[in-house]
Amino acid sequence: MNIIIVGGGTAGCLSTLFCQRFFPDHNITLIDDSDLGPIGVGESTTPAIIEMLDFLGISLSDMVKNCGATIKNSTRFTNWNGDNKFYHHGFNTDPELDIFYGSHKSYFSKNPIGWAPHVPLLAINELKENTNLDNIHLGGVLSVENKVPYTFLDNGSLKDYSSIGLHFDARRVAEYFLKLSLERGVQHINSKVTESHLDESGYVQSLKLENGETIYTDFIFDCSGFLRLFVEKTYKSKFKSYQRYLPVNSAMPFFLERDGETPTYTEAIALSSGWMWKTPVDGRFGCGYVFDNNYIDSTQALDELTNFLGFEPKINKHISFESGYFETPWNKNVLAVGLSSGFLEPLEATSIWITVISLQLFIEHIRGFVNKDEKSVAEYNTQFTKAVESILALVQFHYFTKRKDTPFWREFREKNETAPLLSEILELYSYRLPSNLEATKYNTFPPFSWYLVGAGLEYFDKDIIASEAKSYNIDHSLAKQDMYNFKLNINDVVKKCLNHNEFLSYLRGI
């Protein structure tokens, strides 16, 4: 069977290595135009990338040595309420270090009850005292201390306490993954696709390339990015716009030099009409201003950046985009992956995560690949849309801030619709705090994410927090003592954990 991957960006490289790993006996060809480089100037990821790299047989040390990768504990959100404060949204941790620690017990006695619902008693208690949960979530504590969730045991092995993501240089990743693909037997053609030829049933049979070659195919992964060669141009799939929920539509990427300690977080800094990302990779920051051009144009955005940074950054390109996804990313024998399937926006580093979701769902619906089962293809498209819209809900939630200082922030809730899933969830939060119920019902982010973001935004009403504390008998349960012991435990773990630069040096030496 001939499998073709069109496009050599991060999505294309991951899809190529994924296919080689999953289908080692098939002929796999990557068609990539070297004149089209990656869009990003520093990729930020979620723990989904670690799971994928493990499957591909690529280690942390490989990524650090070959791609300038650094460790990510969290995203730090700075000035989103217009007060110059920040909060962290980190990743999942060991149960003994999670904000749900000690939740399996009676709220009215000292008896443990294994079947008691997961309730983050510690988080509710902390919300009564502080505006965010940075002090009790390991990702936030480690990010402030510039440490990573690893320590050496007495036998010399590494122990980890938390999930991590990665930051890396997109160009170096593309080069390294291409090298690995060639070593693993993938064919590579440096050219452009100029024509696609379909059979009478609408399946792509062959591709005509700019170099004159004709390539025959059984299946195609469309990783052509914003070109969207197949999903849009060949199959005319319907694009489902999310711009009425996420109005930012422009980006100006640039680099900043850096030295000294390497941060363990992506920083998202709220500006007048959007926000700036700041991603630490080897030797520099990959940055960019994401904004709504209905409020400021590129010249005004550059002026704002210059004033904010104290100097004028060098802008290499201007990117325009519309938030949204295609309703049928899988058409016949072509699957759109990465930017070709759609894009939300850079917030929360969801692009590569959704790429991983695409590949995982593809395997779960393998009948559509092997048997051309149209029902499996339709089920894939339905499940993919649900996954994207669950991510959309939390991404939009970040914009529900207290800022009123500029037209963009003042008018966000007035001019933009609330995503349907987010609207349902916020209706629940009008009378209670997050729980596992919505994670199960809506298949969205885990409750600790809603707690961390909601607390950081100071979204939860103080009366509701007080009501929850009363419902779960916080003042008379073991929560107070649990909180004291929990913080001691976190502090003890953080003391043991490795400094980020030290850990990177260790990985380079492996």
Side-chain angles (χ1 to χ4, degrees):
M1 185 173 286
N2 296 316
I3 299 174
I4 306 295
I5 296 90
V6 178
T10 304
C13 292
L14 283 175
S15 299
T16 300
L17 288 168
F18 181 86
C19 289
Q20 187 281 326
R21 183 75 166 176
F22 210 90
F23 307 109
D25 296 328
H26 293 349
N27 298 318
I28 300 167
T29 302
L30 171 64
I31 300 174
D32 171 37
D33 178 10
S34 61
D35 293 335
L36 299 174
I39 288 177
V41 292
E43 295 274 17
S44 177
T45 68
T46 68
I49 191 63
I50 302 298
E51 181 180 352
M52 176 59 71
L53 292 173
D54 285 345
F55 173 71
L56 299 178
I58 301 172
S59 68
L60 273 181
S61 61
D62 292 332
M63 294 299 292
V64 170
K65 286 185 284 191
N66 296 287
C67 307
T70 66
I71 307 302
K72 177 183 176 183
N73 291 326
S74 66
T75 300
R76 169 171 154 162
F77 292 88
T78 301
N79 201 34
W80 283 70
N81 272 336
D83 53 10
N84 290 315
K85 295 180 181 178
F86 63 83
Y87 71 92
H88 290 88
H89 178 202
F91 303 129
N92 198 20
T93 66
D94 280 357
E96 291 299 308
L97 299 168
D98 188 82
I99 62 174
F100 284 80
Y101 169 73
S103 65
H104 278 192
K105 66 179 184 182
S106 168
Y107 314 131
F108 301 97
S109 75
K110 296 181 181 181
N111 300 325
I113 300 176
W115 48 262
H118 278 286
V119 175
L121 304 178
L122 304 186
I124 297 171
N125 187 73
E126 183 76 354
L127 283 173
K128 290 174 59 183
E129 312 294 334
N130 295 295
T131 58
N132 65 50
L133 302 179
D134 278 4
N135 290 331
I136 66 168
H137 191 265
L138 185 62
V141 178
L142 286 171
S143 291
V144 170
E145 296 292 328
N146 218 48
K147 290 191 170 186
V148 294
Y150 294 92
T151 187
F152 286 110
L153 300 177
D154 291 339
N155 62 7
S157 62
L158 274 175
K159 175 177 174 54
D160 63 279
Y161 295 97
S162 174
S163 300
I164 62 166
L166 292 177
H167 306 115
F168 52 69
D169 185 313
R171 290 184 181 276
R172 291 176 64 180
V173 163
E175 292 169 359
Y176 177 59
F177 282 5
L178 175 58
K179 175 176 175 289
L180 286 180
S181 298
L182 295 175
E183 291 174 354
R184 296 177 181 185
V186 171
Q187 300 176 63
H188 176 232
I189 299 174
N190 183 5
S191 189
K192 294 180 182 178
V193 175
T194 56
E195 296 177 29
S196 55
H197 302 286
L198 281 61
D199 66 14
E200 59 186 15
S201 299
Y203 290 83
V204 177
Q205 282 188 317
S206 64
L207 302 175
K208 183 71 177 293
L209 306 186
E210 189 178 56
N211 65 8
E213 288 187 73
T214 297
I215 306 296
Y216 293 92
T217 182
D218 297 292
F219 199 88
I220 296 171
F221 288 82
D222 178 5
C223 302
S224 59
F226 286 133
L227 293 177
R228 293 160 179 171
L229 292 177
F230 299 92
V231 68
E232 184 174 44
K233 292 182 172 60
T234 299
Y235 288 106
K236 316 296 182 186
S237 298
K238 183 179 179 182
F239 184 76
K240 187 173 186 178
S241 175
Y242 295 146
Q243 193 163 8
R244 62 190 182 278
Y245 312 127
L246 297 174
V248 293
N249 56 14
S250 303
M252 294 168 48
F254 58 94
F255 293 107
L256 293 178
E257 296 304 313
R258 68 167 187 83
D259 53 23
E261 292 295 319
T262 307
T264 57
Y265 53 82
T266 305
E267 189 167 18
I269 305 167
L271 298 177
S272 73
S273 303
W275 60 281
M276 184 183 100
W277 80 78
K278 191 175 178 183
T279 304
V281 294
D282 191 17
R284 61 186 179 182
F285 288 105
C287 305
Y289 187 2
V290 186
F291 59 93
D292 182 347
N293 68 10
N294 292 297
Y295 289 92
I296 57 173
D297 59 26
S298 296
T299 300
Q300 292 168 318
L302 180 58
D303 289 342
E304 183 180 2
L305 280 176
T306 300
N307 182 61
F308 177 74
L309 297 171
F311 61 90
E312 183 176 317
K314 181 181 179 182
I315 306 297
N316 294 319
K317 64 181 83 174
H318 297 264
I319 302 169
S320 297
F321 63 90
E322 179 180 357
S323 177
Y325 274 81
F326 288 94
E327 292 186 354
T328 54
W330 188 342
N331 295 276
K332 299 297 182 178
N333 62 333
V334 180
L335 176 63
V337 178
L339 295 178
S340 60
S341 67
F343 183 60
L344 285 180
E345 64 147 286
L347 198 66
E348 287 290 8
T350 62
S351 185
I352 293 178
W353 183 17
I354 293 174
T355 293
V356 173
I357 290 172
S358 297
L359 296 174
Q360 291 171 332
L361 281 175
F362 168 71
I363 295 303
E364 291 178 7
H365 297 84
I366 197 70
R367 294 175 299 279
F369 169 74
V370 177
N371 301 326
K372 297 184 177 179
D373 184 342
E374 289 295 332
K375 289 184 177 180
S376 291
V377 172
E379 185 181 7
Y380 171 97
N381 289 328
T382 298
Q383 293 300 319
F384 178 81
T385 298
K386 286 183 178 179
V388 169
E389 293 190 344
S390 73
I391 294 172
L392 166 67
L394 188 75
V395 171
Q396 190 189 31
F397 185 41
H398 290 78
Y399 286 94
F400 287 24
T401 78
K402 296 181 179 297
R403 288 191 67 158
K404 302 292 182 184
D405 57 315
T406 67
F408 172 82
W409 294 104
R410 188 163 53 250
E411 297 173 1
F412 189 92
R413 300 280 295 272
E414 299 171 5
K415 286 193 171 182
N416 302 297
E417 298 176 31
T418 302
L421 178 55
L422 178 59
S423 184
E424 287 187 48
I425 291 173
L426 295 186
E427 176 62 29
L428 299 176
Y429 298 166
S430 69
Y431 69 89
R432 68 162 171 83
L433 295 176
S435 79
N436 272 327
L437 297 176
E438 52 265 33
T440 302
K441 181 178 180 180
Y442 301 116
N443 191 31
T444 184
F445 279 82
F448 74 82
S449 289
W450 292 95
Y451 266 100
L452 294 174
V453 175
L457 294 172
E458 299 179 33
Y459 182 86
F460 303 125
D461 187 271
K462 288 294 183 183
D463 289 340
I464 293 175
I465 295 170
S467 174
E468 294 283 83
K470 181 180 178 181
S471 297
Y472 298 113
N473 201 26
I474 295 294
D475 289 333
H476 300 288
S477 70
L478 293 178
K480 299 292 185 182
Q481 185 62 41
D482 283 349
M483 178 66 80
Y484 177 75
N485 294 335
F486 180 80
K487 287 185 175 179
L488 283 179
N489 192 19
I490 275 195
N491 289 335
D492 183 55
V493 167
V494 171
K495 287 178 183 177
K496 296 176 184 176
C497 285
L498 300 171
N499 171 273
H500 191 196
N501 280 8
E502 291 175 351
F503 186 58
L504 295 177
S505 294
Y506 162 75
L507 292 175
R508 291 187 191 102
I510 293 179

